[in-house]
Each structure stands twice: as structure tokens, then as C-alpha cells.
Amino acid sequence: MVGFIDALRDAHGVEPICSVLPIAPSTYYKHLAKRADPARLSDRVRRDEALRPEILRVFEENWRVYGVRKIWRQLGREGFDVARCTVARLMNDLGIQGIIRGKPHRTTVPDKKAPCPLDKVNRQFRVPAPNMLWVSDFTYGATWRGFVYVAFVIDAYPGDP
């Protein structure tokens, strides 16, 4: 939004543009002041700017395979006091991630040509008595030995309040 105002401020002025956009002129001018003087930036922004090159350096030095945990530990060994969640956030901002071991498991192969099953209850899950409507679902979880599949079948009647 600031770039948009920068592009049109000579033709229309800052205040008329800001009256149409959801931004106050003071916010725009504060952003300009921060751009001109980096000392006005918040502590978090300044710290992030200092950490980004370090995260990239560790990532590149380790053949672009280190993930959040290993980069966080390496930075700690080098004397950087940084939280793991901060490393994760900055790696996400930088668009980098570590290598994931193993191949991804494809559990569902949808058939685009097959018709979708009908909703036989029209999303009405409230029933006046037991044994009128049973609903089911299944899921899976990964274990060290493979996948475990679990099926749930429950009565939609809520029981006594």
C-alpha cells in the first residue's frame, strides 16, 4: 500500500489517497521515517534483519538440508540467543526449508471422473432419539512400522444433556 501511495503522491497528494484507502496519513509518514532512519524500526524488526543473513549462511553452509531445529542449534552453538519459533518464522519468510527424509506417502488417489457421494442426511445431524442416525469416519496415523488406520462409528444422538 505504501508503494501505491509513493507512486501516486505527486499526482494526487498523500491525504486524498489515504482518505480513500484504509490507511491514515500518519501511518504512511511513520513508514517513510522508518525507511529513512532504520534506528526507528522496532527491536524485533532490527533483530530479524540481523538474523536473516545468519540463517541463510548456516543453511547454505550445510548444503541446504538443515531444517529449523538444526539451524536453531547451530546458531545457539555460535552464540546467538534466538528462539526456535523465531528461526521457524524467519525461514518461512525466506522461503527455505530443510530436506524431509523418506518419500511422501500418498494415501488417497481421487478419481476426478467418479461422482461425489450424496449427502444422505443433508448435514442435519440432530436426531430426536437414539439409533436413528449413525455417522462414521476414518483416519490414519503414521508409526515407525507403517500406517495405522482407525475407523469411528458413533450414534448422532447426543444423549442426556
Side-chain angles (χ1 to χ4, degrees):
M1 195 172 303
V2 173
F4 178 77
I5 297 171
D6 284 342
L8 297 176
R9 71 183 282 185
D10 292 334
H12 302 286
V14 173
E15 285 77 13
I17 295 172
C18 289
S19 67
V20 176
L21 297 175
I23 184 172
S26 61
T27 304
Y28 171 73
Y29 289 122
K30 190 173 184 179
H31 181 79
L32 288 183
K34 288 178 182 179
R35 193 185 319 170
D37 183 13
R40 291 183 173 212
L41 294 172
S42 70
D43 291 341
R44 176 179 169 168
V45 171
R46 282 187 273 156
R47 174 103 167 127
D48 288 353
E49 290 304 316
L51 285 173
R52 277 188 177 95
E54 297 300 327
I55 290 172
L56 278 173
R57 177 187 56 78
V58 171
F59 186 70
E60 294 295 334
E61 284 177 357
N62 292 286
W63 301 285
R64 303 174 64 89
V65 297
Y66 270 17
V68 172
R69 184 175 50 89
K70 288 185 177 181
I71 289 179
W72 171 64
R73 286 196 173 151
Q74 180 62 35
L75 289 173
R77 284 191 292 270
E78 293 177 6
F80 291 95
D81 184 26
V82 60
R84 185 173 186 257
C85 59
T86 302
V87 173
R89 179 176 52 83
L90 293 176
M91 285 181 68
N92 190 30
D93 288 349
L94 293 167
I96 59 175
Q97 70 176 19
I99 298 298
I100 299 170
R101 289 186 185 164
K103 63 178 184 175
H105 294 279
R106 190 157 184 196
T107 58
T108 305
V109 182
D111 184 4
K112 304 252 186 226
K113 295 177 184 173
C116 290
L118 297 174
D119 183 358
K120 300 199 183 235
V121 295
N122 293 324
R123 313 300 291 170
Q124 300 298 318
F125 298 112
R126 293 191 183 271
V127 290
N131 289 325
M132 291 185 72
L133 176 65
W134 289 79
V135 293
S136 65
D137 193 12
F138 67 93
T139 187
Y140 63 92
T143 67
W144 291 108
R145 294 204 157 192
F147 283 97
V148 175
Y149 295 89
V150 181
F152 301 94
V153 181
I154 59 172
D155 189 352
Y157 181 69
D160 294 328

